[in-house]
Amino acid sequence: MIREWFTAASSVFGIDLGHRSMKIARLSENQPRIEPIASVRFESGSEDEITESLSSILGSELLSQSVCVVSLPREDVCIHTLRLPCQGEKELRKTVAREASSRFDLDPETMEVDCIRTGAVHSAAAGGQEVVIYSASHRIIDMCLRPLIRVGLKPVRVETNFSALARYATRWVSNDDSAKSPVAVLDLGARGSTLIVVRESNITLCRPIALGDEQMTRSVGKYLNISMSSAAKVRALRIWQAATCGGASSVFDPEHDRELRKAVHPVLLELIEEISIGLWSDAAAFHGHSVDRLLLTGCAAHESGFAELVAKACHLPVTVDPGLLFDSQDRIRIGDTSVEGKEPASAWSVAVGLCLGDSAGDQSRRSDFGDFVLRRAA
């Protein structure tokens, strides 16, 4: 079934689905190019609203022969890192399923669970191998799949945002001589962030952080004594200016800009503390072999002054994602121009990472929750 879908497809859609927003990117198979299709904000995020948005955006022509990959909302994926005794794959699967059921309080019969071996191995006394376990309920996965199937799309994978980010980060460093050096990626999302470390295409750290764009907006609203909607508009404009013009001076006078910096500063300090803890933990697990750079991506990546603060606190180079990717043949570009919602290019990292998945017919890499998708879509 999956092979037939890939053979018939003329394009692959990457759909970054959140509770109140959705970003759709498309990989054209005729040329190595990924293009942004739409950025949508929802009123309720109901299945009917998602279905209606997909139909109006994509149209029947694109839907009829298109496969897609969708990422689950960050908040709906339960993640935990733990150390387990070194064991075989079969035994590890059983242990992970049992741990996920216990830690996430989910019924084993109504959840999908998977894991990542980070590659860190500790002494037997310290717990053996390090594993990131992650799980999502069938109810959540179904809620994401149903709108896609209803409009005629053919979902082949349901992924987590961090697996798409890892693929994105691998492409980001692929033309670099130091591509084998570990790189950290902080995805600053709307309602939370994710810190990962990637070593030679493998995730060795995955740390969810309950701080994102909404927390910064709330801090601005409280500090300036304005409504959340007004604060959101101010921040969106400021981030857009920083992403496209390299600064906000053309919109905000210096005094106003300083006030905005003060307003978000407490949230940024909390974020930096979480980043520092995560990077220290990863370096300790790999005997001091720490990351040599950090990429800031996501909708709030261009928050004014944040990159400089992180670089100073963590003592490493920090790059704000320019939204450019490369492959072996040509430059893949997510343009600087506005799609609906005026999203900076960096906001598309997960959607792009979804498009950069397995090639047609390649089933060598186990996909996130792939077996469930096969059963559901059959």
Side-chain angles (χ1 to χ4, degrees), residues 30-255:
N30 298 323
Q31 54 180 324
R33 178 176 177 80
I34 294 176
E35 58 180 335
I37 298 298
S39 174
V40 183
R41 299 193 185 280
F42 301 126
E43 291 295 325
S44 64
S46 66
E47 289 184 34
D48 288 342
E49 190 176 9
I50 295 171
T51 302
E52 184 179 343
S53 295
L54 286 168
S55 296
S56 62
I57 292 165
L58 301 180
S60 58
E61 245 182 70
L62 287 176
L63 290 169
S64 60
Q65 293 295 329
S66 295
V67 300
C68 66
V69 184
V70 60
S71 66
L72 298 174
R74 292 163 178 79
E75 300 85 356
D76 289 333
V77 179
C78 304
I79 304 171
H80 185 74
T81 302
L82 71 163
R83 295 176 184 177
L84 297 172
C86 293
Q87 51 194 290
E89 190 69 21
K90 188 175 180 180
E91 292 76 14
L92 177 63
R93 291 284 153 196
K94 291 180 180 178
T95 303
V96 163
R98 188 169 58 249
E99 288 284 346
S101 176
S102 172
R103 292 179 182 276
F104 305 147
D105 194 27
L106 292 172
D107 182 348
E109 298 300 319
T110 61
M111 71 177 189
E112 290 297 301
V113 61
D114 212 331
C115 68
I116 300 168
R117 297 178 191 250
T118 68
V121 179
H122 306 270
S123 65
Q129 64 182 326
E130 191 173 84
V131 176
V132 177
I133 61 174
Y134 53 97
S135 181
S137 71
H138 290 172
R139 179 182 64 84
I140 293 296
I141 299 175
D142 258 336
M143 286 175 61
C144 294
L145 289 175
R146 276 194 295 264
L148 309 178
I149 296 171
R150 282 166 64 182
V151 300
L153 284 169
K154 300 174 178 65
V156 292
R157 292 199 309 280
V158 173
E159 294 204 13
T160 58
N161 74 306
F162 55 81
S163 61
L165 282 175
R167 198 176 299 119
Y168 186 88
T170 300
R171 288 298 187 96
W172 180 60
V173 300
S174 62
N175 281 13
D176 197 320
D177 292 337
S178 57
K180 291 188 177 181
S181 300
V183 58
V185 183
L186 179 70
D187 177 40
L188 286 151
R191 299 172 66 179
S193 302
T194 306
L195 175 68
I196 66 170
V197 173
V198 181
R199 299 169 186 268
E200 298 187 28
S201 303
N202 298 314
I203 296 174
T204 62
L205 175 81
C206 182
R207 184 181 178 87
I209 303 172
L211 295 167
D213 187 67
E214 283 191 9
Q215 286 77 12
M216 296 182 202
T217 299
R218 195 174 295 117
S219 185
V220 167
K222 185 177 179 180
Y223 186 87
L224 298 180
N225 195 26
I226 58 177
S227 67
M228 276 288 287
S229 60
S230 297
K233 289 177 182 177
V234 169
R235 290 203 64 251
L237 180 57
R238 188 166 179 261
I239 287 173
W240 177 252
Q241 285 292 320
T244 56
C245 304
S249 57
S250 61
V251 175
F252 301 99
D253 63 73
E255 182 60 32

Side-chain angles (χ1 to χ4, degrees), residues 13 23-26 35-39 57-58 62 339-340 348:
F13 289 99
K23 292 183 183 66
I24 306 173
R26 179 176 63 177
E35 58 180 335
I37 298 298
S39 174
I57 292 165
L58 301 180
L62 287 176
V339 186
E340 287 182 40
W348 295 83

Side-chain angles (χ1 to χ4, degrees), residues 238 248 252-262 304:
R238 188 166 179 261
F252 301 99
D253 63 73
E255 182 60 32
H256 194 183
D257 192 59
R258 277 194 294 272
E259 290 300 299
L260 288 171
R261 282 182 180 240
K262 289 179 183 177
S304 182

